[in-house]
Amino acid sequence: MRILHYIPSIDRTSGGTTTYLQLLAKELGKRVELYVITHVSENPVEIENCQVYYIAPLRRIREMKRQWVYWLDELEPDIVHVNTCWMPQCALVQQWAQRLGYKVVLSPHGMLEPWIMKRHYWTRKVPALLLYQRKAVRKADYLHATAESEKENLLRLRYNRKVAVVANGIDVDHIALKPTWKRNRQLLFLSRIHVKKGIEFLLEAVAMLKDDLQDYTVNIAGEGEAAYIEQLKAKAQSWGIGQLVRFCGGVYGDEKWKLFRQADLFVLPTYSENFGIVVAEALASGTPVVTTKGTPWEELNTCHCGWWTEIGTESLAEVLKGFLSLDEKELEVMGRNGRKLVEEKYSAKKMAEDMVRVYENVLCN
């Protein structure tokens, strides 16, 4: 089987979508003949087990189309898999491929979730829906959701009822489990620094509990717009927790995994995630997680490896109080439960196997 993925960027600053493709390709490329087409960026990540090709950017649309059609003719993929929504170039490559008779799988990657849809609805979403996005979703041969909750939200849109669920996965075999659950007095947020991630909730909750957390460090790791990061720093200072909060910037490789293992608790207080690869990475490291019901991670509660809570400061503060009351043995049980969950359900191998089954189903219909 020959599969061609399109993704607007594989830059390291692009967040979870780039990480997703990087992890998927490592295993999928062992099972199919895999190609990736994208655009040039400043710091592209390395993607294994596939061939990566670059085409012209959207501002050179005629050249972009010529190059895209050239690679379709050259590679003759069985399926074109388009990643992400709202960017015109995603809808265009889908349209150009389908006009030539290629079947298309579209992965929205959470970009059609209710919180995202509501954000800038009249100024951005409605124009995009009218111009290209609704048509792209409707015309896709299949939609790929990463959780049942995302599938349900896609079906509520009534654009396309052909939705397959394949959970994201991580390379768990290469993630070291922390050797001890002795408290390092560190909390960790690690993701893209964006208003969607709810970082203000974490800062406010820490401010509410600053007497209990006075010997803790709250690590905020990730890249984002400089102006927004400065706003967060100013809020931390104004709430009297500037000395507790450390903004680490972007972290990668060994530095990232060291932060995961050293953290006593990983916090993702997000408004919306279709999956949240960082949650799985924290669990694989043996670190308990708290995240919100804006994610599909109810298993944090059912598998006793963290907390799945309401969105907002009050709920997060209550969880932090509960976390502070746990002893190290209880943290170890939660950490080992999390590792077991990821090994059994969220490995990159399983993700690739499930995706191949989706491709086979698309080709049979």
Side-chain angles (χ1 to χ4, degrees), residues 163-229:
V163 185
V165 177
V166 176
N168 285 353
I170 60 172
D171 191 6
V172 64
D173 293 339
H174 291 83
I175 299 175
L177 182 67
K178 63 169 62 179
T180 176
W181 282 263
K182 182 178 180 180
R183 286 186 185 266
N184 292 313
R185 291 178 168 75
Q186 291 186 23
L187 306 182
L188 174 63
F189 167 93
L190 192 158
S191 189
R192 187 165 55 102
I193 307 295
H194 188 275
V195 65
K196 166 188 159 183
K197 304 294 182 177
I199 303 168
E200 286 91 341
F201 296 139
L202 173 57
L203 298 180
E204 288 174 340
V206 169
M208 290 172 62
L209 301 173
K210 61 184 175 183
D211 291 338
D212 299 313
L213 293 168
Q214 58 185 337
D215 57 349
Y216 272 74
T217 298
V218 182
N219 290 311
I220 309 291
E223 297 188 37
E225 293 184 4
Y228 180 57
I229 293 172

Side-chain angles (χ1 to χ4, degrees), residues 2 4 35 37 53 70-77 102:
R2 190 174 293 176
L4 171 59
Y35 302 92
I37 290 184
Y53 298 107
Y70 168 81
W71 284 117
L72 288 176
D73 290 342
E74 186 75 12
L75 302 173
E76 296 184 329
Y102 292 98

Side-chain angles (χ1 to χ4, degrees), residues 22 95 180 230 249 279 303 312 340 350 356:
Q22 192 177 30
Q95 181 185 95
T180 176
E230 288 304 314
V279 171
C303 296
K340 181 181 178 183
K350 187 175 188 305
V356 169

Side-chain angles (χ1 to χ4, degrees), residues 174-298:
H174 291 83
I175 299 175
L177 182 67
K178 63 169 62 179
T180 176
W181 282 263
K182 182 178 180 180
R183 286 186 185 266
N184 292 313
R185 291 178 168 75
Q186 291 186 23
L187 306 182
L188 174 63
F189 167 93
L190 192 158
S191 189
R192 187 165 55 102
I193 307 295
H194 188 275
V195 65
K196 166 188 159 183
K197 304 294 182 177
I199 303 168
E200 286 91 341
F201 296 139
L202 173 57
L203 298 180
E204 288 174 340
V206 169
M208 290 172 62
L209 301 173
K210 61 184 175 183
D211 291 338
D212 299 313
L213 293 168
Q214 58 185 337
D215 57 349
Y216 272 74
T217 298
V218 182
N219 290 311
I220 309 291
E223 297 188 37
E225 293 184 4
Y228 180 57
I229 293 172
E230 288 304 314
Q231 289 178 23
L232 294 174
K233 289 179 178 178
K235 287 182 177 181
Q237 290 293 339
S238 67
W239 291 334
I241 56 170
Q243 76 282 6
L244 304 181
V245 180
R246 182 171 76 101
F247 286 84
C248 309
V251 292
Y252 305 95
D254 292 342
E255 184 182 1
K256 176 178 113 171
W257 297 115
K258 182 178 179 181
L259 282 175
F260 273 127
R261 288 191 295 271
Q262 287 183 338
D264 303 314
L265 181 69
F266 179 77
V267 185
L268 184 66
T270 182
Y271 284 96
S272 177
E273 298 288 328
N274 65 308
F275 181 74
I277 287 176
V278 287
V279 171
E281 290 177 334
L283 293 174
S285 301
T287 299
V289 171
V290 53
T291 191
T292 72
K293 293 182 179 178
T295 77
W297 282 98
E298 185 176 2

